Amino acid sequence: MIYPITSMYDVPLMVARGYASLSFLHSAAEYIDTLDVPVFIYHLGDFDPSGVNAGEKIEQTLRELAPNAEIAFQRIAVTPEQIAEWDLPTRPTKATDTRAKNFGEISVELDAIEPNRLRDLVRETLEQHLPPAQFEVLKAAEESEREIMSRLVRGIAS
């Protein structure tokens, strides 16, 4: 669902689906270690004890496996603020989850965020890293591509 956004900005998308395997995180850490720039990792996950803890474990393990890398890790969805502002549907937190004790009474699935809103969130998050001039060039190129595609579609439809 968000791959079209990350690919448009040439940003790697690494899908962990909950708790990431050590081999997955090792590969990610190896890639991170090759970079000579700060790394920004944006986590999207369920707002429940397991989803929040999975993000924390990913961050912890990546920092351990790539100790020399400059890593900025941020959870961008689902957050308590989004639950309130976007009136996201909640469910009771599973009392059987051992991490639920200090978590709170409500949980929210990432899927509760409407797809276009989620794509917009990812787009806005990534665009904050673009130099303004480069961003303007990117927007102009995107508009030009849209125009070309529209002409092609109209030409085929005629």
Side-chain angles (χ1 to χ4, degrees), residues 2-3 14 23 33 60 79 102 119:
I2 62 173
Y3 178 73
M14 298 179 157
S23 61
D33 260 346
Q60 175 187 357
T79 66
N102 298 317
R119 284 188 283 272

Side-chain angles (χ1 to χ4, degrees), residues 14 21-34 62 65:
M14 298 179 157
S21 70
L22 188 55
S23 61
F24 174 84
L25 293 174
H26 187 269
S27 295
E30 282 183 333
Y31 173 71
I32 289 168
D33 260 346
T34 67
L62 287 175
L65 295 174

